[in-house]
Amino acid sequence: MSPRPPPLSCDTFVALPPAAPGGRVVFGKNSDRPADEVQEVVHFPAAAHPPGAALECTYISIAQVERTHAVVLSRPSWLWGAEMGANEHGVCIGNEAVWGRDEVCGGEALLGMDLVRLGLERADTAEKALSVIVDLLEKYGQGGNCMESKMAFTYYNSFLIADRKEAWVLETSGKYWAAEKVEGGVRNISNQLSITTKIDREHPELKEYAKSNGWWDGEKEFDFAATYSYVNTARMTTSGGRYCEGYKLLNKHKGSITSEIMMEILRDKESGINMEGGFMTTGSMVSVLPQQPNLPCIHFFTGTPDPARSIFKPFIFVPGITPLLKTMSPTFGHDDPVKKQPRFQSKPDRRHELYKKHESAAVVMETGKDKGKEMLKEIQELEKQKISQMESILQNGCLDTKQVVNLFPQCVEEELKIYG
């Protein structure tokens, strides 16, 4: 049996019409990671690659593809992959740590976070991203330390994948997997397997493997979560865990889920979704994916911990985007302790400029004194202003690409100004 996992839990959410009004898909994720880990927001343009090129991921190299799509990622700054992100075609992916009956192997392979980025770089729809991920799982496997630490911390992964038209949940145990197409308007995932009997795609040996291990008798209806984990699937949405709390919040707002409502859910401390402590919410993302192809997808990222004291800053894919320098961490090349063997013998300062300024500002905001209250009010007003501007773009369908190239960096500058 796998050891009891450490106390952490990310949460990823999606709302499809009519749960989200205005013919839009709304996606959101909190990335809950070690409290001192820096999350950066980075953009990589579309690129062509020579035949036979190799791609160096966090721990292993794999075959590169001929073309990769432009992506924007929120990621722990020490690794190659990402906790969450989007591509130029409106595909969004977030992943969660999951554990079950199958012990997680200790060997280095692809991290779930690598698979997030690979899905975004290689697929122009949600279902194609699902196919990319499961093909890579079959070929390379998943495994390796998921934390920048000498202490090994490993897990399998679940994914929520969305585009302008649909969303899929993909849950894995080693190379085995099940996928569910989202129906009913809303769906969330947390740190447990949640696909039960509605399985729309699956690993060809999924059931046989369960049967050979004595987890399923081959007679009763196959329930993936109940079979591959120890979860009582009848109680998943009624017990007090984070998956349950997220489910309740989504359903409470069903029919009126906008980007602001999704941000509100991600900021919810009472439910534990906005996590505090040794593991905390180190980065957050909300995306609005209009079903009308002529309208742009809008992606909001904090790039800083605790969404209740952070600004969701908008990003739109257009050619010639200004580099996101102030949310990009320093790089250390081959001297990076992640690259050296043995790994993680030291820990460099990976804080980017926005992280440093926000770190100091958060201390002021935490005091609750007049200066902190005023600062919090100012960042909230800036966020409202940006949401209003984005809503105007979606309503009018009018996009000034000259302004949009600088959209995210400009908002970062305005945020830094507030922090002084």
Side-chain angles (χ1 to χ4, degrees), residues 179-183 195-200 222:
E180 172 197 332
K181 189 174 181 181
V182 176
E183 288 166 10
I195 294 174
T196 56
T197 55
K198 184 187 182 302
I199 300 172
D200 297 299
F222 185 81

Side-chain angles (χ1 to χ4, degrees), residues 68 98 130 166 174 241 290 305 365 380:
T68 48
V98 291
L130 189 158
E166 62 185 28
M365 287 188 266
Q380 288 168 344

Side-chain angles (χ1 to χ4, degrees), residues 22-25 88-90 124 163-165 288-298 316-317 393-394 397-399:
R24 299 171 187 176
V25 174
E88 61 186 307
H89 302 286
D124 59 4
D163 62 25
R164 291 177 185 262
K165 294 179 180 175
V288 181
L289 317 173
Q291 293 188 311
Q292 303 96 309
N294 61 310
L295 295 177
C297 295
I298 299 171
I316 297 174
F317 283 96
I393 288 171
L394 291 174
C398 186
L399 193 67

Side-chain angles (χ1 to χ4, degrees), residues 129-371:
L130 189 158
S131 296
V132 164
I133 292 170
V134 299
D135 288 350
L136 288 164
L137 259 184
E138 188 69 28
K139 192 167 184 182
Y140 299 103
Q142 58 181 319
N145 196 352
C146 301
M147 200 159 67
E148 188 183 11
S149 168
K150 290 181 191 177
M151 184 182 79
F153 173 48
T154 57
Y155 49 76
Y156 291 138
N157 293 267
S158 68
F159 304 87
L160 185 49
I161 311 168
D163 62 25
R164 291 177 185 262
K165 294 179 180 175
E166 62 185 28
W168 287 80
V169 174
L170 167 64
E171 297 186 333
T172 72
S173 179
K175 71 172 185 175
Y176 301 98
W177 56 271
E180 172 197 332
K181 189 174 181 181
V182 176
E183 288 166 10
V186 295
R187 186 69 158 86
N188 63 305
I189 58 172
S190 195
N191 286 110
Q192 61 189 65
L193 298 177
S194 62
I195 294 174
T196 56
T197 55
K198 184 187 182 302
I199 300 172
D200 297 299
R201 289 181 57 182
E202 66 189 68
H203 187 282
E205 296 160 21
L206 180 75
K207 290 171 184 161
E208 196 50 50
Y209 182 70
K211 205 170 165 184
S212 68
N213 279 288
W215 303 338
W216 179 60
D217 61 9
E219 298 295 323
K220 64 176 183 280
E221 186 178 23
F222 185 81
D223 180 321
F224 176 68
T227 305
Y228 274 78
S229 69
Y230 298 97
V231 172
N232 178 343
T233 57
R235 294 184 65 244
M236 282 197 307
T237 57
T238 55
S239 61
R242 290 163 60 101
Y243 174 80
C244 166
E245 293 303 310
Y247 174 84
K248 287 196 285 193
L249 283 169
L250 276 180
N251 280 280
K252 176 186 171 185
H253 296 287
K254 204 170 178 179
S256 59
I257 299 172
T258 59
S259 59
E260 285 178 283
I261 293 290
M262 189 63 81
M263 290 170 193
E264 198 180 297
I265 291 171
L266 296 183
R267 286 176 165 136
D268 195 283
K269 286 190 189 282
E270 196 179 333
S271 64
I273 286 165
N274 182 5
M275 199 173 200
E276 298 179 287
F279 273 76
M280 72 178 292
T281 299
T282 56
S284 304
M285 168 186 176
V286 168
S287 291
V288 181
L289 317 173
Q291 293 188 311
Q292 303 96 309
N294 61 310
L295 295 177
C297 295
I298 299 171
H299 312 284
F300 296 88
F301 295 92
T302 60
T304 52
D306 185 0
R309 287 195 292 266
S310 292
I311 300 176
F312 281 92
K313 296 166 282 291
F315 176 98
I316 297 174
F317 283 96
V318 288
I321 285 167
T322 305
L324 315 186
L325 300 176
K326 305 259 169 111
T327 56
M328 190 183 297
S329 293
T331 55
F332 302 93
H334 293 294
D335 292 327
D336 197 310
V338 178
K339 297 292 180 193
K340 289 180 171 179
Q341 294 285 2
R343 302 191 197 275
F344 307 120
Q345 297 305 296
S346 61
K347 210 171 189 178
D349 184 353
R350 299 187 187 276
R351 294 175 302 162
H352 49 74
E353 188 172 339
L354 178 64
Y355 187 98
K356 288 178 185 176
K357 292 284 175 69
H358 179 269
E359 194 174 32
S360 303
V363 174
V364 178
M365 287 188 266
E366 258 175 50
T367 63
K369 292 180 180 175
D370 288 347
K371 189 181 177 185

Side-chain angles (χ1 to χ4, degrees), residues 298 314 384-394 407 414:
I298 299 171
K384 278 181 185 167
Q385 181 192 329
K386 296 300 174 186
I387 291 170
S388 177
Q389 287 172 3
M390 296 307 101
E391 187 56 38
S392 179
I393 288 171
L394 291 174
L407 183 64
E414 291 171 58

